[in-house]
Coordinates of all heavy atoms in Angstrom, one line a residue:
S8 N -117.1 -65.9 63.4 CA -117.1 -67.3 63.9 C -116.9 -68.2 62.7 O -117.0 -67.8 61.5 CB -118.5 -67.7 64.5 OG -119.5 -67.7 63.5
E12 N -118.0 -67.2 58.9 CA -117.0 -67.0 57.9 C -117.2 -67.8 56.7 O -117.1 -67.4 55.5 CB -115.6 -67.3 58.5 CG -114.5 -67.0 57.5 CD -113.1 -67.2 58.1 OE1 -112.9 -66.8 59.3 OE2 -112.2 -67.7 57.4
K13 N -117.6 -69.1 56.9 CA -118.0 -70.0 55.8 C -119.1 -69.4 55.0 O -119.0 -69.5 53.7 CB -118.3 -71.3 56.4 CG -118.6 -72.4 55.3 CD -118.9 -73.7 55.9 CE -119.2 -74.8 54.8 NZ -119.5 -76.1 55.4
V15 N -119.9 -66.2 54.6 CA -119.5 -65.0 53.8 C -118.6 -65.4 52.7 O -118.7 -64.9 51.6 CB -118.7 -64.0 54.8 CG1 -118.1 -62.9 54.0 CG2 -119.7 -63.5 55.8
V19 N -119.1 -64.5 48.8 CA -118.1 -63.8 48.0 C -117.8 -64.6 46.7 O -117.7 -64.1 45.6 CB -116.8 -63.6 48.8 CG1 -115.7 -63.1 48.0 CG2 -117.1 -62.6 50.0
E21 N -119.7 -66.9 45.2 CA -120.8 -66.8 44.2 C -120.8 -65.5 43.5 O -121.1 -65.4 42.3 CB -122.1 -67.2 44.9 CG -123.2 -67.2 43.9 CD -124.5 -67.9 44.4 OE1 -124.4 -68.4 45.5 OE2 -125.5 -67.9 43.7
Y28 N -119.8 -63.3 35.0 CA -120.8 -63.6 34.0 C -121.5 -62.3 33.5 O -121.6 -62.0 32.3 CB -121.9 -64.5 34.6 CG -123.1 -64.7 33.7 CD1 -123.1 -65.5 32.6 CD2 -124.3 -63.9 34.0 CE1 -124.3 -65.7 31.8 CE2 -125.4 -64.1 33.2 CZ -125.4 -64.9 32.1 OH -126.5 -65.1 31.4
A30 N -120.4 -59.2 33.6 CA -119.4 -58.4 32.9 C -119.4 -58.8 31.4 O -119.3 -57.9 30.5 CB -118.0 -58.4 33.5
M38 N -125.4 -56.8 23.4 CA -126.2 -57.2 24.6 C -127.3 -58.1 24.1 O -128.1 -57.7 23.2 CB -126.7 -55.9 25.3 CG -127.4 -56.2 26.6 SD -128.1 -54.7 27.4 CE -126.5 -53.9 27.8
D39 N -127.5 -59.3 24.7 CA -128.6 -60.1 24.3 C -129.9 -59.6 24.8 O -130.0 -58.7 25.6 CB -128.3 -61.6 24.7 CG -128.2 -61.8 26.2 OD1 -129.1 -61.2 26.9 OD2 -127.3 -62.4 26.6
M68 N -116.9 -53.6 39.7 CA -117.3 -54.6 40.7 C -116.7 -56.0 40.5 O -116.2 -56.7 41.4 CB -118.9 -54.7 40.7 CG -119.6 -53.5 41.2 SD -121.4 -53.6 40.8 CE -121.9 -54.9 41.9
S73 N -112.1 -60.0 41.7 CA -111.1 -60.9 41.0 C -109.7 -60.5 41.2 O -108.7 -61.3 41.2 CB -111.4 -61.0 39.5 OG -111.2 -59.8 38.9
T76 N -107.9 -56.8 46.9 CA -108.0 -57.4 48.2 C -109.1 -56.6 49.0 O -109.1 -55.4 49.1 CB -106.7 -57.2 49.0 OG1 -105.7 -57.9 48.3 CG2 -106.8 -57.7 50.4
V77 N -110.1 -57.4 49.5 CA -111.1 -56.9 50.3 C -111.0 -57.5 51.7 O -110.8 -58.7 51.9 CB -112.5 -57.2 49.8 CG1 -113.6 -56.6 50.6 CG2 -112.6 -56.7 48.3
V83 N -121.2 -56.5 65.5 CA -122.6 -56.8 65.9 C -123.5 -55.8 65.2 O -124.6 -56.2 64.6 CB -122.7 -56.7 67.4 CG1 -124.2 -56.8 67.8 CG2 -121.9 -57.8 68.1
K102 N -110.1 -45.9 42.1 CA -109.0 -45.5 41.2 C -108.0 -46.6 41.0 O -107.4 -46.7 39.9 CB -108.4 -44.2 41.7 CG -109.3 -43.0 41.4 CD -108.6 -41.7 41.8 CE -109.5 -40.5 41.5 NZ -108.8 -39.2 41.9
Q103 N -107.6 -47.3 42.0 CA -106.5 -48.3 41.9 C -106.9 -49.6 42.5 O -106.4 -50.1 43.5 CB -105.3 -47.7 42.6 CG -104.8 -46.4 42.0 CD -103.5 -45.9 42.8 OE1 -103.0 -46.5 43.7 NE2 -103.1 -44.7 42.4
S105 N -106.3 -52.6 41.7 CA -105.4 -53.7 41.7 C -104.4 -53.7 42.9 O -103.8 -54.7 43.2 CB -104.5 -53.7 40.4 OG -103.8 -52.5 40.3
A124 N -133.0 -63.9 47.5 CA -134.3 -63.2 47.6 C -135.4 -64.1 47.2 O -135.3 -64.9 46.3 CB -134.3 -61.9 46.8
V126 N -138.6 -64.6 45.1 CA -139.1 -64.1 43.8 C -140.6 -64.5 43.8 O -140.9 -65.6 43.8 CB -138.4 -64.6 42.6 CG1 -139.0 -64.1 41.3 CG2 -136.9 -64.2 42.7
D133 N -139.6 -58.3 41.4 CA -140.2 -58.3 42.7 C -139.5 -59.2 43.7 O -139.8 -60.4 43.8 CB -141.7 -58.7 42.6 CG -142.5 -58.4 43.8 OD1 -141.9 -57.8 44.8 OD2 -143.7 -58.7 43.9
T153 N -121.1 -45.9 43.9 CA -122.5 -45.6 43.8 C -123.0 -45.0 45.2 O -122.3 -45.0 46.2 CB -123.4 -46.9 43.6 OG1 -123.2 -47.8 44.6 CG2 -123.0 -47.5 42.2
D159 N -138.2 -38.8 45.0 CA -138.7 -37.4 45.0 C -139.2 -36.9 46.3 O -139.2 -35.7 46.6 CB -139.8 -37.3 43.9 CG -139.3 -37.3 42.5 OD1 -138.0 -37.3 42.3 OD2 -140.1 -37.4 41.6
A164 N -133.9 -44.7 48.2 CA -134.5 -45.7 47.3 C -133.9 -47.1 47.6 O -133.0 -47.6 47.0 CB -134.1 -45.3 45.8
Y165 N -134.5 -47.6 48.7 CA -134.1 -48.9 49.2 C -135.2 -49.9 48.8 O -136.4 -49.6 48.9 CB -134.0 -49.0 50.7 CG -132.8 -48.2 51.2 CD1 -132.9 -47.4 52.4 CD2 -131.5 -48.4 50.6 CE1 -131.8 -46.8 52.9 CE2 -130.4 -47.7 51.1 CZ -130.5 -46.9 52.3 OH -129.4 -46.3 52.8
L172 N -139.0 -47.4 41.0 CA -139.6 -46.1 41.1 C -138.7 -45.0 40.6 O -139.1 -44.0 40.0 CB -140.2 -45.8 42.5 CG -141.0 -44.5 42.7 CD1 -142.2 -44.6 41.7 CD2 -141.4 -44.4 44.1
N179 N -133.8 -38.9 32.8 CA -132.6 -39.4 32.2 C -132.0 -40.6 32.9 O -131.0 -41.1 32.6 CB -131.5 -38.3 32.0 CG -131.0 -37.8 33.3 OD1 -131.3 -38.4 34.4 ND2 -130.3 -36.7 33.3
G191 N -127.8 -53.9 42.9 CA -128.0 -55.1 43.7 C -129.1 -56.0 43.1 O -128.9 -57.2 42.9
F193 N -130.3 -55.8 40.0 CA -130.0 -56.1 38.6 C -129.0 -57.3 38.6 O -129.2 -58.3 37.9 CB -129.2 -55.0 37.9 CG -128.6 -55.3 36.6 CD1 -129.5 -55.5 35.5 CD2 -127.3 -55.4 36.4 CE1 -128.9 -55.8 34.2 CE2 -126.7 -55.7 35.2 CZ -127.5 -55.9 34.1

Side-chain angles (χ1 to χ4, degrees):
S8 69
E12 181 174 325
K13 183 177 180 180
V15 175
V19 172
E21 181 163 358
Y28 169 81
M38 186 182 293
D39 62 47
M68 290 169 70
S73 66
T76 298
V77 182
V83 174
K102 286 187 177 178
Q103 297 180 5
S105 62
V126 175
D133 190 2
T153 62
D159 287 351
Y165 290 137
L172 186 57
N179 65 12
F193 173 71

